[in-house]
Amino acid sequence: MQPRFIVLTAALLLPTPLFADESPSRSLMALGGEMLRSAEGLQAESVTAIRHGNSLRKTLNQLRVKLRSLPEGEERAALGETIDLFAGEIPRWQQQAASLRERGLSERQRALALLEVGYREIWQPHIRLSGPLQLDGSDSLTSGHNARIRSVHPSKLNMNVVPGDGATPADMSLAVPAASGQNIPGELDLRSFQISRELAVFAHVEPETGNSRVPLNEIHSWKLMLSRLDGEPLGDAEIEIEGHMPGHVHGLPTQPRVTGEVEPGVYRVQGVKFQMTGWWVMTFKVSAGPLDDAVTFNIRL
Amino acid sequence: MKRLLPLLVAWCSLAFAGGEEIYRFTPSDIHFLERFSLQALPPLPPAPDNGVADDPRAAALGHRLFFDTRLSANGQVACASCHQPQKYFTDGLPRSRALGITRRNAPTILGAGHSPWLFWDGRKDSLWSQALGPLQDPGEHGLAPLEVAQLIRRYYRGEFEQVFGDSAGLDRLPKRSGGRLSRRQRAVLNRVLSRVGKSIMAYERRLQLRPARFDRFVAQLQRDSGDRGALATLMTEGEVAGMRLFMGRANCASCHNGPLFTNYEFHNIGAPEPDPAQVDLGRYGGVAALEKDGFTCLSPWSDAGAEDCLEMRFLKKQGPELVGAFKTPTLRNVAHTAPYMQSGQLATLEQVLAHYNNPTPPYYDREQHPSRPHFDILPLGLSEEQMGQVIAFLETLTSPLSEDDPLWRAPE
């Protein structure tokens, strides 16, 4: 196990939290943020390892070309040995890269889970929807709780990632192209809790409708809640909204806007409307001072 | 297994063709189909911009206005000239004829009360504001605003006052056309015009569709989906096959959905360009017109507060998908409302299906289009037989004409 990680895990178990002056949920988020950065570090190291491997392979190929041009003799034998050495190194770098990548990914997963748990606890009074955004009046198979959540175990967080065709009930004989001709990736991350592109913002969205579901063909409002990774609300942000259907070159039928910040970090988005079922991608471009970031949500209607 | 696959496929298609399977619907199927039934039609959307939208007296006045040919420059044109009840409120022509020839095809009015946007390009945001278009169009009713007001004063004064509580200042208007109007008089005119529109809208909102065979089929599925005999008397095998294609493989339901078979949104399906010398920019032009329109929900003549005008406040003004896009029309009664598309370019449903099966991309002229029009459909690869089945299905969407309904006739 990575020493850095042991420290972080230990911090969780310590009776006095590492971030003594903050609430436990804040420390959870801070920890998640820290781990996320470490996951990024691992990812970067993995990329470096791959580069090493690649440049070794290039050198190796050049040496092999050279080998072919050499006559039998000492020089050739020596070069042969070098080549064998190089050739042995390459798989080691590849393995290294793969394991770094894997560790990075799993650390990222854990980091996101911690962030989400901390976030949910901090923002609990505002959160009515814990599952993915779902169409009103559809019997989707994915789990969507409308009740307020108390606490959620990190291991349950992936309940909202549904496999590709989750929206079409199994007993349907009408061959309804639920995805309207879209190529939906096997596993689409439909969570309504997401980390931003630059890893600076953790966000949640939900429709402000009676049952927290998305109506089709009806203008309605959303609530967007933005938090920094230390659990501080991200207030006074400028937000730009873009929505489209991948594979359709299609935008939203309306131009939604943020019309107010109800409370620090809690934004009211008005004018949202979807005219088609299928896979939608909603992106919120967020800027606040030096922060320039974007959060994206996948929605399957 | 590889060898078995073709056999399996053959067996499946046989089973379907055999008529046994075709009438078998699972609970999820039925649930899905229910959303297309007239029973699922929601109540009319509230109309905060029209205070008399649901007032029966306004509807009675609107009913008379709708059929009154005196409201035209030559005394021969009424709304009902182009929106004829016995043709499901269309006129059967590619482009309408009155004082002139219109640029586009007359769509039905049935169900229009559910649409946020009116006209093929959605250049109006309410039925009341829409009605002011044809009244003033030189090729349709051909009236100047003052002429509309004078006709109201002459023929409808009493009813007008009854519905709206006052005369809107009709008496302040000059008796004759000609001279310049004061600002105040122009405001009176606008108020009168908007009230004329609001009355007509109240009438249009009351027009109702009766259940078509498709609706009765869905009702039968809900009652007893196992009774094949009953199902088969409502829709033939071919029609049901067409319905399955419509909802499924042919993907029609991705735009033509809900009880009125439309999402009321704008798409470009690449229907042939009616006049390449003057291309129809569709929604792109509609949005530009809305921004200039003096009678929207946001105007002083609307009864709504600005915060109630959601569609206008969040109007999408940009995007390549606006160019050459038209409002998805309802497919209710479509078998009886030929010709088709925004300018009646396609004469028959066979031509429509042939287009969808193998569509031509939208016409593009760099000089005229602000950007390359978006194309929203893909070829379908249906057989002749399958296209015939889809058409057969469309025929099950025909409601009986409501001949005994007084709203479907000229008032006495």
Side-chain angles (χ1 to χ4, degrees):
Chain A
M1 198 185 261
Q2 183 83 358
R4 189 173 15 181
F5 182 62
I6 293 173
V7 172
L8 293 174
T9 318
L12 262 180
L13 305 171
L14 284 176
T16 27
L18 193 67
F19 313 88
D21 54 332
E22 287 175 10
S23 73
S25 11
R26 290 235 164 144
S27 352
L28 272 186
M29 282 198 76
L31 193 54
E34 191 75 12
M35 279 171 67
L36 202 56
R37 279 184 287 278
S38 115
E40 288 293 296
L42 289 169
Q43 191 65 31
E45 282 178 43
S46 138
V47 171
T48 317
I50 290 174
R51 280 214 197 100
H52 269 299
N54 286 348
S55 78
L56 272 181
R57 178 177 302 284
K58 229 189 230 158
T59 322
L60 186 66
N61 287 343
Q62 285 162 358
L63 292 179
R64 283 197 170 130
V65 172
K66 194 171 169 204
L67 186 74
R68 258 174 257 139
S69 66
L70 285 181
E72 286 294 341
E74 221 166 88
E75 197 184 343
R76 190 182 158 118
L79 186 59
E81 267 173 43
T82 316
I83 285 178
D84 288 347
L85 265 176
F86 266 100
E89 271 303 298
I90 290 174
R92 244 169 260 146
W93 281 104
Q94 280 171 338
Q95 264 166 26
Q96 171 98 350
S99 96
L100 281 166
R101 199 181 113 79
E102 208 162 284
R103 269 176 35 219
L105 282 179
S106 96
E107 189 151 338
R108 184 184 157 88
Q109 283 304 322
R110 286 195 306 272
L112 290 179
L114 285 181
L115 277 168
E116 190 170 328
V117 173
Y119 179 95
R120 282 171 188 254
E121 274 168 17
I122 297 172
W123 296 79
Q124 188 198 309
H126 293 285
I127 299 175
R128 317 205 99 251
L129 176 80
S130 62
L133 280 88
Q134 281 185 328
L135 193 62
D136 198 12
S138 78
D139 300 321
S140 237
L141 294 178
T142 48
S143 60
H145 309 267
N146 298 323
R148 295 181 181 208
I149 1 118
R150 297 261 161 265
S151 79
V152 176
H153 193 270
S155 68
K156 284 207 175 151
L157 286 176
N158 272 346
M159 66 191 176
N160 305 328
V161 181
V162 297
D165 254 327
T168 311
D171 72 327
M172 198 124 174
S173 86
L174 288 168
V176 182
S180 342
Q182 293 177 303
N183 270 325
I184 302 195
E187 289 240 314
L188 195 57
D189 182 354
L190 296 175
R191 277 175 292 185
S192 58
F193 296 83
Q194 292 290 344
I195 184 83
S196 65
R197 196 180 52 206
E198 306 294 332
L199 310 181
V201 183
F202 199 81
H204 168 66
V205 276
E206 56 181 55
E208 276 195 303
T209 48
N211 56 6
S212 298
R213 287 195 170 222
V214 178
L216 194 64
N217 264 323
E218 214 177 277
I219 296 194
H220 61 287
S221 311
W222 280 13
K223 223 156 58 172
L224 171 71
M225 293 164 240
L226 301 180
S227 166
R228 295 183 191 271
L229 292 209
D230 58 6
E232 276 298 316
L234 178 61
D236 278 334
E238 295 250 332
I239 298 163
E240 237 179 84
I241 303 162
E242 194 263 342
H244 73 281
M245 292 188 91
H248 270 241
V249 211
H250 229 252
L252 292 166
T254 52
Q255 221 160 64
R257 278 196 309 274
V258 167
T259 53
E261 192 174 346
V262 194
E263 247 175 72
V266 182
Y267 298 85
R268 182 130 201 269
V269 179
Q270 279 190 288
V272 184
K273 178 169 165 181
F274 301 99
Q275 81 277 37
M276 259 179 145
T277 54
W279 172 24
W280 286 88
V281 175
M282 292 287 278
T283 300
F284 297 86
K285 288 189 191 147
V286 179
S287 56
L291 184 147
D292 187 11
D293 210 341
V295 202
T296 296
F297 297 88
N298 288 303
I299 305 160
R300 172 97 198 233
L301 296 181
Chain B
M1 185 60 207
K2 270 222 176 105
R3 285 237 216 99
L4 273 179
L5 203 61
L7 275 179
L8 204 67
V9 169
W11 178 82
C12 283
S13 49
L14 266 182
F16 259 96
E20 271 305 298
E21 288 297 314
I22 196 127
Y23 285 107
R24 186 173 295 162
F25 291 89
T26 66
S28 297
D29 294 338
I30 297 170
H31 191 69
F32 181 84
L33 290 172
E34 278 167 5
R35 290 192 256 154
F36 290 77
S37 162
L38 272 186
Q39 270 179 41
L41 191 65
L44 283 160
D49 55 338
N50 179 358
V52 298
D54 298 311
D55 180 335
R57 289 169 314 169
L61 171 58
H63 187 185
R64 292 184 57 191
L65 295 171
F66 191 89
F67 284 88
D68 194 342
T69 52
R70 292 173 302 188
L71 290 178
S72 63
N74 66 356
Q76 289 171 28
V77 181
C79 310
S81 313
C82 304
H83 302 285
Q84 303 164 19
Q86 63 281 13
K87 291 189 178 133
Y88 296 92
F89 294 86
T90 67
D91 60 7
L93 300 169
R95 292 152 69 209
S96 303
R97 285 160 186 277
L99 298 176
I101 299 178
T102 58
R103 181 178 192 199
R104 301 211 182 100
N105 171 266
T108 184
I109 290 178
L110 298 166
H114 288 268
S115 175
W117 308 111
L118 282 307
F119 286 133
W120 287 95
D121 55 4
R123 67 182 179 277
K124 287 290 190 174
D125 69 336
S126 71
L127 279 171
W128 67 263
S129 176
Q130 182 283 328
L132 309 184
L135 283 174
Q136 300 174 72
D137 187 317
E140 301 183 51
H141 297 244
L143 294 175
L146 181 59
E147 291 172 318
V148 176
Q150 286 165 337
L151 287 162
I152 295 295
R153 184 163 60 194
R154 188 142 148 221
Y155 299 117
Y156 290 102
R157 209 205 146 95
E159 276 161 280
F160 191 80
E161 270 195 46
Q162 242 186 5
V163 172
F164 294 99
D166 63 52
S167 71
L170 273 174
D171 300 318
R172 289 209 203 98
L173 296 174
K175 297 270 172 304
R176 266 174 240 307
S177 313
R180 272 178 65 89
L181 296 178
S182 68
R183 255 179 85 189
R184 200 137 157 219
Q185 285 173 319
R186 281 206 304 273
V188 168
L189 270 190
N190 287 340
R191 172 147 291 119
V192 172
L193 278 180
S194 68
R195 287 180 174 184
V196 167
K198 287 170 186 174
S199 310
I200 294 178
M201 168 169 172
Y203 162 69
E204 291 168 319
R205 270 164 79 88
R206 301 199 144 217
L207 294 170
Q208 297 214 340
L209 282 162
R210 299 203 170 155
R213 265 196 299 132
F214 166 76
D215 304 300
R216 287 159 54 209
F217 185 83
V218 175
Q220 176 61 38
L221 283 176
Q222 290 169 308
R223 245 193 328 270
D224 177 7
S225 63
D227 187 345
R228 308 246 159 119
L231 290 173
T233 57
L234 289 166
M235 277 172 64
T236 67
E237 273 178 36
E239 289 163 349
V240 174
M243 174 174 82
R244 288 180 180 274
L245 287 166
F246 184 95
M247 302 293 172
R249 177 157 161 221
N251 206 18
C252 314
S254 73
C255 299
H256 296 283
N257 55 37
L260 294 171
F261 287 78
T262 165
N263 56 3
Y264 288 122
E265 279 299 337
F266 300 88
H267 299 281
N268 192 333
I269 58 156
E273 185 65 49
D275 180 6
Q278 200 205 338
V279 298
D280 196 332
L281 293 178
R283 183 58 173 163
Y284 183 87
V287 168
L290 274 169
E291 291 194 274
K292 283 191 292 204
D293 196 293
F295 291 94
T296 67
C297 180
L298 293 167
S299 72
W301 320 114
S302 149
D303 301 325
E307 66 287 354
D308 287 328
C309 304
L310 291 176
E311 292 284 359
M312 280 306 285
R313 278 177 60 209
F314 299 102
L315 175 67
K316 176 182 190 127
K317 297 174 186 162
Q318 278 159 3
E321 68 264 44
L322 305 181
V323 179
F326 295 93
K327 190 173 72 180
T328 309
T330 176
L331 296 184
R332 290 257 164 207
N333 309 306
V334 73
H336 296 271
T337 60
Y340 304 107
M341 304 302 165
Q342 85 274 13
S343 293
Q345 305 98 296
L346 302 180
T348 61
L349 286 176
E350 281 73 17
Q351 287 179 16
V352 172
L353 262 290
H355 171 76
Y356 277 114
N357 208 35
N358 196 7
T360 41
Y363 178 76
Y364 176 44
D365 178 350
R366 209 174 278 131
E367 306 270 294
Q368 295 185 72
H369 289 104
S371 62
R372 183 181 284 278
H374 207 255
F375 192 24
D376 287 350
I377 55 171
L378 292 167
L380 298 173
L382 300 180
S383 67
E384 285 294 327
E385 188 192 7
Q386 288 171 320
M387 290 196 274
Q389 290 168 335
V390 174
I391 293 172
F393 167 63
L394 293 178
E395 286 175 18
T396 70
L397 302 179
T398 303
S399 295
L401 282 171
S402 303
E403 275 161 332
D404 52 341
D405 181 344
L407 295 179
W408 283 52
R409 282 196 303 264
E412 268 93 55

